[in-house]
Amino acid sequence: MTDAQETAADSPLRTTGGAPPDDLEAAPIPLLEPRDGVPPVIADEASLAEAIAAFAAGTGPVAVDAERASGYRYGQRAYLVQLRREGAGTALIDPAACPDLSGLGEALGGVEWVLHAATQDLPCLREIGMMPSRLFDTELAGRLAGFPRVGLGAMVEGVLGFVLEKGHSAVDWSTRPLPEPWLRYAALDVELLVDLRDALEKELDRQGKLEWAHQEFEAIASAPPAEPRKDPWRRTSGMHKVRRRRQMAAVRELWQTRDRIAQRRDVSPGKVLGDAAIIEAALALPANVHALAALAGFGHRMGRRQLEQWQAAIDRAKVLPEAELPQPGQPVTGPPPPRAWADKDPAAAARLSAARAAVSALAERLNMPQENLIAPDTVRRLCWEPPKSADAESVGAALARHGARPWQVDQVTPVLVTAVSVGA
């Protein structure tokens, strides 16, 4: 039996199918059930205070997860927070009713938080006052350890031998009251996170990668909030079809109008107007409401008033002075797209080709994805502007300046020294 299977077999978890079998392929994998049942949702300050006290008195790491209403509501705020800690059990907290969880965050300030795909949940947790000083990311740990599938369900099944319930990940978590099956699903998301963490820690240690993981987790925990995206309207799906600046201005006006409406109504922008409709209208630049109504996405279900607001956005783009029209593309702060390197700088293109091949081979030997071994953008920046001296010290210092962690510098510097020497 493997270490991962021993972890599952020794776990005091209650399942519908009994204890996990020794031969996981020969017998059905048990469906996980919450060992303490589904707790009531915490939605008042008194219950929250009790939970804070319980979790502060608990022991060991705390499993944390958050559910958003992506595709339903505006923004990415949390609509349910789930926690589990030894001695405290599981808590389900409603951030809509208890929007300030800074007291809970402070109570768990020195505790290691266990999250799956931490970078997805940390922004919405930060908004409600929760931010870890230490964390363990089970998804990232799985990547570093070389697991081919790192979704939570796949990891729990492959490492611990239990099947998580599926089917509620994409529901509208802003729904109130939350249905009991959804709450069960949410509770199970933190049920085994600490067990999974412990198994992955053993595996990373066995592979000699545990310190690498610690450096990655520290980088996530200490990272500042992401800067607001510049010109987010440029990411409208289908934007590559828009060539003329006047049409680009129409995309911008329509996108900004849609965003204001979505924010006011607290709905996903896609529910207000689809990207495809924005692109269609920008390409056509219709002369009036009647012409707009004939376009895909502006059909008979849309009322006159709605059509008028979209036509007004298009009309604003039509009368913008030439100097105020958006420029094609976005300002480039780093290297140009790699496809242009062969023409702009053939030597840099040769360096990049050699570097990519070397990183790919090293990642395969280390049994991890290339992007976790070293960020592709870091490799591009190094190859576009290599240090004057292609030695280990200079290359390592350049990698560190671009944000590479010490373990990454140690691993990739030797192969990149050779790569950046190509064409010299």
Side-chain angles (χ1 to χ4, degrees), residues 335-338 341 352 356 375-385:
W341 286 28
L352 182 61
R356 284 174 163 173
D377 182 66
T378 297
V379 175
R380 288 192 292 268
R381 290 175 183 271
L382 176 72
C383 292
W384 186 251
E385 294 184 353

Side-chain angles (χ1 to χ4, degrees), residues 6-192:
E6 287 174 358
T7 300
D10 293 341
S11 176
L13 299 174
R14 182 168 62 86
T15 70
T16 58
D22 287 342
D23 187 350
L24 294 178
E25 294 183 353
I29 299 177
L31 181 68
L32 186 65
E33 291 281 349
R35 69 190 93 174
D36 301 324
V38 179
V41 176
I42 294 171
D44 61 79
E45 294 302 322
S47 300
L48 178 60
E50 292 178 6
I52 291 174
F55 275 83
T59 58
V62 57
V64 183
D65 190 29
E67 305 294 350
R68 298 174 297 279
S70 303
Y72 297 94
R73 295 290 183 175
Y74 185 85
Q76 293 295 315
R77 62 185 177 276
Y79 282 95
L80 189 71
V81 175
Q82 308 100 280
L83 304 99
R84 183 172 181 86
R85 191 181 189 195
E86 185 69 28
T90 298
L92 304 179
I93 304 175
D94 179 1
C98 302
D100 182 6
L101 299 186
S102 57
L104 180 59
E106 291 169 5
L108 298 172
V111 177
E112 180 187 81
W113 295 22
V114 184
L115 299 99
H116 192 81
T119 54
Q120 294 182 18
D121 287 340
L122 289 180
C124 69
L125 290 171
R126 182 184 281 111
E127 287 182 358
I128 53 179
M130 296 182 65
M131 193 64 195
S133 57
R134 296 190 297 129
L135 65 83
F136 190 106
D137 186 331
T138 50
E139 187 208 43
L140 181 51
R143 291 180 182 277
L144 296 175
F147 284 83
R149 298 167 60 220
V150 293
L152 181 58
M155 294 285 286
V156 166
E157 183 173 335
V159 176
L160 300 177
F162 289 89
V163 175
L164 291 177
E165 287 189 21
K166 300 177 182 178
H168 301 305
S169 60
V171 299
D172 181 1
W173 287 96
S174 68
T175 300
R176 294 296 183 271
L178 286 164
E180 195 276 342
W182 299 12
L183 296 175
R184 176 184 298 274
Y185 167 91
L188 289 174
D189 271 358
V190 292
E191 183 82 12
L192 284 181

Side-chain angles (χ1 to χ4, degrees), residues 12 58 61 87 104 178 181 189 212 261 265 287 331 358 405 407 411:
L104 180 59
L178 286 164
D189 271 358
W212 303 359
I261 295 170
R265 291 170 49 189
R405 264 71 72 190
W407 76 269
Q411 293 298 316

